[in-house]
Amino acid sequence: MTTSTEPAAPRAELSLTPTGTQSSEVLMLRRVIVAGLNIFLYLALAAWGWSILAVEGWSIVDILLFICFLFGTPWAVLGFWNAVIGLILLHGPRKAMQDVAPFASIADPAMPVTLKTAIFMTLRNEDPSRAFRRLRLVKETVDATGHGDKFAYFLLSDTNKDDVAAQEEELFATWKAEAGATAPLFYRRRTENTGFKAGNVKDFLNRWGSDYDLMLPLDADSLMDGETILRHVRIMEANPKLGILQSLVVGMPSQSLFARIFQFGMRQGMRSYTMGQAWWVGDCGPFWGHNALARIAPFRDHCELPVLPGPPPFGGHILSHDQVEATFMRRAGYEVRVMPEEGGSWEENPPTILEFMKRNTRWCQGNLQYFKLLDTKGLYPVSRFQLIWAILMFLGIPAWTLMLPLAALKPFDGESLAAFPVGSALALYIFFTIMNLMPKIAGLLDILLTPGGTKRYGGTGKFLFAGLSEIVFAWILGASDTFRTTVFIVGLIFGKSVVWGGQARDAHGVPWDVAISNLWPQTLFGFVVVGLMAATSIQFALWSLPLTLGFLVAIPFAVWSAEPALGAASVRSGLYAIPEEIDTPAIVAKLRAQEAGH
């Protein structure tokens, strides 16, 4: 036996992400694990679907059903694993935030603030009084931190309605007069909406970007607390290679029943889903376009959006800009991070299903434009995957919509009904439904497993009722929205494009005639599909109701979910309450008081 006196060779050091806070090898391992889990489950579901449809050979209906299943399944599979991973992280033995946001603890409250931040709100034909109230409250809470001298405030208007613009100018002049001539308040109105919101931001960067280090974009319905903003600024200050940083943006207390139920469901599923997603995307995170800090120099120099070749709807200026900017920021060598934590950052959700569908169609067109960006040079693989995933989010919708009439036609395709594996098909249907609901299930379990969690929502009884009824709400909403998106995508193929305009954000009713004129196609589609199913078997039609009921009741759902009296009743009873209603933050309470007085 021999021994050596030579020193051992040093171990190879792990490479780190740009901020130096996380191992690139660890992130790669996580991505391999998540990819493996998704591919395995996707192929298993595909094989299961194949085994069902292949009985007695392949008809045209079978082939179309299988193709639609392949297109519609990926989004649900990744959502399932993100939610499961997030739930494990939240309630496993390790500290979740150490795994997904290793830099979050660096924000020392005593750290001096040297970076200058521009906080701006983009407007286009919005209610000026609502927008100004929010931005003024943001400034008040930032000034209260004692670091107000490091911040400036901008109203960036693309309003093309003269009466709305006059109100903006009047409200700004009043604010400026109250604050004093030297106050860092600025208003700029563009006469042309070139480049949409991204063009508005580009104009700001060209005019004022060199004067500031960070920017905080806000939408007209955004609200952020000064302490939260300051904490995020300190994290950016401690991590010079952190390009974009955001935490969870949650819904505001609302008077609209539709918004209350929708944001209650979003609140549950968002934390576990985003936790699981952040665990593996790491430094290649998404960007939601508002309520987020961005480092100005790399954003200005590397995140300018290209004008896509060809005419709209797929060419021209990009509508959904934020995810593209995230991929460009990461390509420039800066991290894009999401901290899956609640607190201090809010937005308002659409008050009716009609406003909800209007917003989704704009996102749909913007995401489908990403097809022309997939060959962009230099993107990281995860960043490129994020663009593909954003496309698949909407491509899967017409696939699932088409599957319903195909399923109704399946008994008429000439194959023997006696040979059809009904038990296996029903088991796949139930399994897929549970898998698709996993983000909601994980969100509910997260709150139930958190000590005092249901208390934040008004108590266990109200929480469980709201959670279960919100699942039914989501099924009904999903039917109308998927049909509308499917029709819209068909329209895109023939050159139809959205028009960029303002959004209705206040609670309001939907008259019956308006609901009928907008939703009669969904209703007709539902009755045709369910009628075909019932012609084969009443049981078949009944089992389809989780997917088809929303079509049948689309019109009354639109009216009742927007009914002001029902919204007021849910507020009084505390149903679908979110934590900000049970323990209201000071800035939210002040905003509600101002709006009530207004």
Side-chain angles (χ1 to χ4, degrees):
M1 180 177 177
T2 60
T3 60
S4 173
T5 58
E6 294 182 4
R11 295 178 60 186
E13 293 186 3
L14 295 177
S15 62
L16 301 175
T17 59
T19 59
T21 57
Q22 196 168 32
S23 163
S24 297
E25 281 80 3
V26 169
L27 275 178
M28 177 61 69
L29 177 61
R30 293 177 181 179
R31 290 163 182 169
V32 170
I33 291 171
V34 170
L37 290 171
N38 278 271
I39 292 171
F40 170 79
L41 183 54
Y42 178 74
L43 293 179
L45 289 169
W48 194 351
W50 178 286
S51 71
I52 294 169
L53 295 172
V55 173
E56 292 204 340
W58 289 85
S59 67
I60 295 297
V61 172
D62 291 330
I63 294 171
L64 292 175
L65 273 170
F66 190 67
I67 292 172
C68 289
F69 186 76
L70 293 180
F71 272 98
T73 299
W75 183 263
V77 170
L78 184 57
F80 171 83
W81 286 119
N82 279 345
V84 169
I85 292 169
L87 185 63
I88 293 171
L89 288 170
L90 286 167
H91 297 280
R94 300 184 65 187
K95 295 285 188 181
M97 289 303 292
Q98 293 176 359
D99 285 319
V100 301
F103 47 80
S105 61
I106 295 176
D108 181 359
M111 177 188 298
V113 177
T114 62
L115 299 181
K116 296 180 66 178
T117 301
I119 299 177
F120 62 76
M121 181 174 283
T122 51
L123 304 174
R124 179 167 172 79
N125 301 326
E126 306 278 356
D127 179 355
S129 60
R130 299 177 77 260
F132 273 81
R133 274 196 295 270
R134 282 156 178 74
L135 190 57
R136 292 184 68 149
L137 282 173
V138 170
K139 183 179 186 303
E140 284 181 22
T141 59
V142 169
D143 289 345
T145 68
H147 296 278
D149 60 317
K150 298 297 182 182
F151 295 83
Y153 302 85
F154 296 80
L155 274 299
L156 308 178
S157 174
D158 268 3
T159 293
N160 63 356
K161 296 181 178 179
D162 290 341
D163 57 333
V164 178
Q167 293 179 52
E168 292 174 359
E169 293 168 2
E170 181 182 354
L171 287 169
F172 179 76
T174 301
W175 189 14
K176 185 74 171 179
E178 293 174 359
T182 60
L185 305 177
F186 305 91
Y187 173 83
R188 188 271 294 129
R189 180 192 174 201
R190 293 197 303 169
T191 56
E192 297 292 335
N193 185 220
T194 305
F196 309 114
K197 180 181 174 182
N200 198 347
V201 175
K202 177 184 175 181
D203 183 82
F204 160 80
L205 293 173
N206 291 337
R207 290 170 178 262
W208 292 290
S210 59
D211 298 332
Y212 302 94
D213 304 293
L214 306 174
M215 65 181 189
L216 175 62
L218 300 174
D219 281 351
D221 62 347
S222 294
L223 187 68
M224 287 191 74
D225 179 77
E227 290 292 344
T228 300
I229 294 172
L230 189 63
R231 176 170 179 260
H232 290 187
V233 167
R234 285 189 166 120
I235 292 174
M236 296 285 279
E237 183 127 27
N239 295 274
K241 297 298 286 184
L242 188 55
I244 297 175
L245 175 68
Q246 60 209 314
S247 58
L248 295 181
V249 187
V250 300
M252 289 275 290
S254 176
Q255 299 294 312
S256 160
L257 179 63
F258 179 91
R260 289 176 65 81
I261 303 176
F262 175 79
Q263 66 192 27
F264 177 92
M266 282 290 292
R267 188 66 170 265
Q268 313 323 316
M270 186 167 52
R271 193 162 79 116
S272 56
Y273 182 98
T274 309
M275 183 72 73
Q277 182 188 45
W279 182 77
W280 63 270
V281 301
D283 54 345
C284 295
F287 173 40
W288 297 320
H290 60 91
N291 292 45
L293 278 174
R295 202 171 297 273
I296 284 181
F299 195 97
R300 180 192 58 222
D301 298 340
H302 302 287
C303 296
E304 182 174 347
L305 301 181
V307 177
L308 300 178
F314 299 112
H317 292 284
I318 298 172
L319 287 170
S320 296
H321 58 92
D322 36 22
Q323 187 55 52
V324 183
E325 291 159 347
T327 65
F328 288 1
M329 180 66 81
R330 185 64 192 90
R331 181 179 64 175
Y334 292 80
E335 295 188 18
V336 179
R337 292 278 187 169
V338 174
M339 294 189 296
E341 59 182 23
E342 301 171 351
S345 183
W346 300 276
E347 64 178 347
E348 289 180 305
N349 287 299
T352 72
I353 186 175
L354 301 182
E355 289 297 324
F356 177 85
M357 292 192 297
K358 176 182 175 182
R359 184 182 70 173
N360 265 15
T361 53
R362 187 176 73 243
W363 288 353
C364 174
Q365 180 175 334
N367 282 22
L368 294 182
Q369 287 179 303
Y370 294 169
F371 270 117
K372 295 192 174 184
L373 294 166
L374 294 181
D375 61 348
T376 302
K377 294 181 180 179
L379 297 185
Y380 280 75
V382 173
S383 296
R384 203 178 302 275
F385 173 78
Q386 298 268 40
L387 295 180
I388 294 172
W389 201 245
I391 295 170
L392 287 176
M393 173 184 177
F394 285 101
L395 279 189
I397 290 175
W400 281 110
T401 304
L402 184 58
M403 281 186 72
L404 291 173
L406 288 172
L409 290 172
K410 171 62 181 167
F412 304 98
D413 68 351
E415 297 180 0
S416 171
L417 289 177
F420 185 74
V422 176
S424 182
L426 184 59
L428 176 58
Y429 173 66
I430 293 172
F431 178 84
F432 194 91
T433 300
I434 294 172
M435 184 185 73
N436 201 42
L437 289 174
M438 185 51 66
K440 295 183 180 297
I441 295 171
L444 295 174
L445 289 174
D446 173 30
I447 301 303
L448 290 169
L449 293 172
T450 300
T454 59
K455 185 178 180 180
R456 300 176 64 227
Y457 292 83
T460 303
K462 289 182 180 179
F463 176 78
L464 289 175
F465 173 84
L468 295 175
S469 59
E470 189 277 329
I471 290 175
V472 178
F473 168 91
W475 272 330
I476 296 174
L477 169 63
S480 292
D481 185 50
T482 54
F483 185 89
R484 176 70 183 90
T485 302
T486 300
V487 172
F488 179 73
I489 290 175
V490 173
L492 289 177
I493 297 173
F494 292 95
K496 183 178 179 180
S497 183
V498 298
V499 177
W500 192 282
Q503 299 179 48
R505 305 182 188 273
D506 289 321
H508 60 274
V510 174
W512 281 96
D513 60 333
V514 173
I516 292 170
S517 65
N518 280 274
L519 298 169
W520 69 263
Q522 282 89 331
T523 306
L524 178 62
F525 177 81
F527 274 102
V528 170
V529 168
V530 175
L532 284 171
M533 292 177 174
T536 303
S537 165
I538 295 298
Q539 288 80 6
F540 186 17
L542 291 175
W543 274 104
S544 77
L545 286 180
L547 300 178
T548 57
L549 177 63
F551 299 109
L552 303 177
V553 300
I555 292 171
F557 175 78
V559 174
W560 295 336
S561 64
E563 172 56 47
L566 293 177
S570 70
V571 173
R572 290 193 302 270
S573 64
L575 282 178
Y576 307 106
I578 55 177
E580 284 77 8
E581 291 181 68
I582 307 302
D583 183 15
T584 307
I587 187 173
V588 175
K590 191 166 186 177
L591 177 62
R592 296 178 74 182
Q594 290 179 358
E595 292 181 334
H598 177 77

